[in-house]
Amino acid sequence: MIKNRLKKILNLREEMSFSFYVIDFIFRKLLRQNIRTKWAVHHTSTIQCPEKIKRGIGVWPGDSPNVYINAFNGISFGDYVNIGPNTCIVSANHDLIDNKKLLSARPIEIHRFCWVGANVTILPEVILGDFTVVGAGAVVTKSFKEGYCIIAGNPAAIVRYLDKQSCDTFARSVY
């Protein structure tokens, strides 16, 4: 009962356990891991350049275990994006000759209602349109701007299309 009241007072997510927030506090505030993030992050996740991440409603990048996010060139997450464990999202590559130099690239865009499965890698400049589901283990090297699809494999390719009307009806019910 006290935990639930504290969750409401502190505006914490209902679906996350209270212990998640206690561990987050210990790692971010006391041990200074992922200190610059403004949201709760799993203690095994790493977020680089969180100030270059734009988050939509209900998005908590790094709340799953072992997520690595490199946002040096920026990443934007649309509303209600879900990121699975062991996911790697990399917005910048190193120069092939000088490993200390990062290459400039367009930001990664992951639009509304995308679901990124476990063990996925998303590489620089990728754009995922609304309602793109990325299957577990996929390596996303190119954009799928049109969305409303399921992609999988290495390199990721469309394996199925989603019904746009059903997805849009669902989105309207959420807003």
Side-chain angles (χ1 to χ4, degrees):
M1 186 171 204
I2 293 172
K3 290 178 185 178
N4 290 336
R5 284 188 182 169
L6 276 173
K7 277 186 175 184
K8 282 196 180 209
I9 292 168
L10 298 174
N11 196 24
L12 304 179
R13 296 167 52 198
E14 287 294 322
E15 65 272 13
M16 302 306 285
S17 69
F18 191 73
S19 63
F20 176 87
Y21 291 104
V22 171
I23 292 170
D24 174 66
F25 177 81
I26 291 168
F27 277 87
R28 277 196 312 130
K29 303 298 183 186
L30 301 179
L31 299 176
R32 319 239 350 125
Q33 179 181 325
N34 293 315
I35 188 66
R36 295 185 338 234
T37 59
K38 303 292 184 210
W39 61 91
V41 176
H42 194 275
H43 67 278
T44 61
S45 293
T46 301
I47 312 295
Q48 293 183 327
C49 289
E51 64 277 0
K52 293 186 177 181
I53 294 176
K54 295 178 186 173
R55 300 180 305 133
I57 299 166
V59 180
W60 308 90
D63 65 344
S64 292
N66 299 312
V67 171
Y68 173 77
I69 297 177
N70 157 339
F72 291 118
N73 285 319
I75 301 173
S76 67
F77 295 98
D79 297 341
Y80 306 107
V81 170
N82 191 6
I83 301 168
N86 303 308
T87 294
C88 180
I89 302 175
V90 180
S91 72
N93 280 324
H94 294 281
D95 182 81
L96 294 175
I97 298 167
D98 184 358
N99 198 21
K100 296 175 190 165
K101 184 193 260 183
L102 292 175
L103 301 176
S104 180
R106 289 186 315 272
I108 293 173
E109 296 177 28
I110 302 175
H111 291 226
R112 303 174 318 133
F113 299 100
C114 288
W115 174 20
V116 179
N119 300 305
V120 167
T121 299
I122 299 176
L123 297 177
E125 300 189 348
V126 164
I127 298 172
L128 299 178
D130 293 347
F131 288 96
T132 300
V133 178
V134 184
V139 177
V140 185
T141 60
K142 66 178 187 171
S143 295
F144 295 88
K145 295 177 185 178
E146 59 283 339
Y148 299 93
C149 61
I150 299 172
I151 61 175
N154 180 5
I158 296 174
V159 294
R160 185 173 145 203
Y161 288 95
L162 301 175
D163 179 47
K164 190 174 187 303
Q165 186 177 1
S166 297
C167 292
D168 290 341
T169 300
F170 172 77
R172 281 191 300 277
S173 75
V174 172
Y175 292 114

